[in-house]
Amino acid sequence: MKEVMILTGAGQIGMAIARRMGYGKKIVIGDKNLKNALAISKIMNEAGFDTEPIEMDLSSRESIQNMIQKAQSLGEISMLVNAAGVSPSQAPIEAILKVDLYGTAVLLEEVGKVIKKGGVGVTISSQSGWRMPALTQEEDELFATTPTEELLKLPLLAPENIRDTLHAYQMAKRCNEKRVMAQSVEWGKRGARLNAIAPGIIVTPLAIDEFNGPRGDFYKNMFAKCPAGRPGTADEVANVAELLMSDKGAFITGATFLMDGGATASYFYGPLRPE
């Protein structure tokens, strides 16, 4: 039986990482929209990969467990690529917290119970969480270690404390990164590693929607005024994933890798600094 990679979120970033790291493996592609999973699966299968598309809802523990069971029926799970999530323009506050924050926490926990020795995972976070004011040490610890089923009941996520969908998204991504730290300790007990990547603006169909949407000028200004002077590509995210998921990254776990063309640096110390 083959080793299995689980890919959640059938989009450009997830596919780029799966193409870079998934050769020779069985790749289970889970997405809430089965059409998306089928489309990515077809592209990859026609390029020589071995994929299995399934419907998977990141906001449901049962759905995540069903996907893991399916993966285990095909072989030992050795890789996780979590690129699933919803953006601030796509979903209301409640959905962002349920999918991006709670769902990611459940996925890391559930895969961490079964990942094989020497296995590795990456989850896609976002530069967005890096521009939010620092949380207290206590709040960070709550994000890192609160039992998953109690996460959404945390006072700092109460409706009166979340300003808008962007703030919800930033909180979710901050939680993802703290969760990766805490879960990497659990994964380590199985001899496995777990990291996060926080990309900046990456050109995908979703990003193109954003460029043409109400926040389009904001995004165009951001990549024009960052040191790189351009948005990134999904393959550049895969470059970082390749480091983190290969033997070259054997000493890296519990980390988040910010790759945003310098947008965060520019936000704090350059022309993107808020007035």
Side-chain angles (χ1 to χ4, degrees):
M1 285 174 90
K2 289 186 175 180
E3 289 188 356
V4 180
M5 168 192 278
I6 292 176
L7 166 61
T8 57
Q12 292 295 324
I13 291 175
M15 178 169 68
I17 298 172
R19 288 178 71 124
R20 191 70 59 89
M21 300 306 299
Y23 45 83
K25 293 182 173 57
K26 186 82 183 180
I27 305 171
V28 174
I29 303 176
D31 196 282
K32 189 172 184 186
N33 184 337
L34 186 58
K35 272 203 313 211
N36 292 345
L38 287 164
I40 296 291
S41 177
K42 181 174 188 291
I43 292 167
M44 290 191 68
N45 286 350
E46 288 175 355
F49 292 89
D50 180 8
T51 72
E52 182 90 20
I54 62 167
E55 197 172 324
M56 186 279 313
D57 178 0
L58 191 64
S59 70
S60 157
R61 187 183 289 271
E62 186 186 6
S63 183
I64 289 169
Q65 287 171 331
N66 289 342
M67 174 185 65
I68 289 171
Q69 276 181 338
K70 173 70 179 172
Q72 286 183 300
S73 74
L74 300 168
E76 248 191 320
I77 299 168
S78 65
M79 286 187 175
L80 168 68
V81 177
N82 176 35
V86 290
S87 79
S89 305
Q90 286 179 315
I93 288 170
E94 194 181 341
I96 290 169
L97 296 177
K98 191 83 201 281
V99 176
D100 290 12
L101 190 147
Y102 166 80
T104 296
V106 172
L107 180 68
L108 300 183
E109 177 183 37
E110 291 290 345
V111 174
K113 293 173 184 173
V114 299
I115 190 85
K116 70 170 284 189
K117 183 175 168 59
V120 64
V122 293
T123 190
I124 302 301
S125 178
S126 167
Q127 62 168 0
S128 196
W130 291 60
R131 289 196 302 277
M132 192 172 77
L135 299 177
T136 66
Q137 191 177 339
E138 289 74 23
E139 288 169 333
D140 275 342
E141 190 161 333
L142 286 171
F143 268 166
T145 61
T146 297
T148 41
E149 294 308 316
E150 293 165 31
L151 266 172
L152 294 176
K153 301 182 191 122
L154 287 175
L156 74 165
L157 298 176
E160 63 272 18
N161 292 327
I162 301 289
R163 291 187 301 276
D164 51 26
T165 58
L166 178 62
H167 187 217
Y169 185 75
Q170 290 176 330
M171 290 293 250
K173 295 306 178 179
R174 182 67 62 88
C175 182
N176 292 168
E177 293 171 14
K178 294 300 167 188
R179 223 62 202 177
V180 161
M181 290 180 81
Q183 276 296 313
S184 71
V185 178
E186 298 305 311
W187 282 47
K189 292 171 186 172
R190 299 181 62 87
R193 298 186 298 108
L194 175 65
N195 292 293
I197 301 173
I201 296 169
I202 306 296
V203 179
T204 62
L206 186 153
I208 291 166
D209 284 348
E210 295 276 2
F211 296 156
N212 297 322
R215 290 164 58 79
D217 288 342
F218 169 81
Y219 287 115
K220 287 172 189 164
N221 182 56
M222 184 185 289
F223 69 69
K225 288 185 179 169
C226 76
R230 64 170 177 86
T233 63
D235 288 86
E236 288 174 298
V237 182
N239 290 341
V240 177
E242 183 176 20
L243 166 67
L244 295 176
M245 298 180 80
S246 71
D247 290 343
K248 290 194 175 97
F251 198 56
I252 307 172
T253 191
T256 297
F257 202 112
L258 176 67
M259 52 157 310
D260 65 354
T264 301
S266 197
Y267 177 83
F268 284 107
Y269 310 116
L272 288 173
R273 197 169 189 158
E275 293 303 322

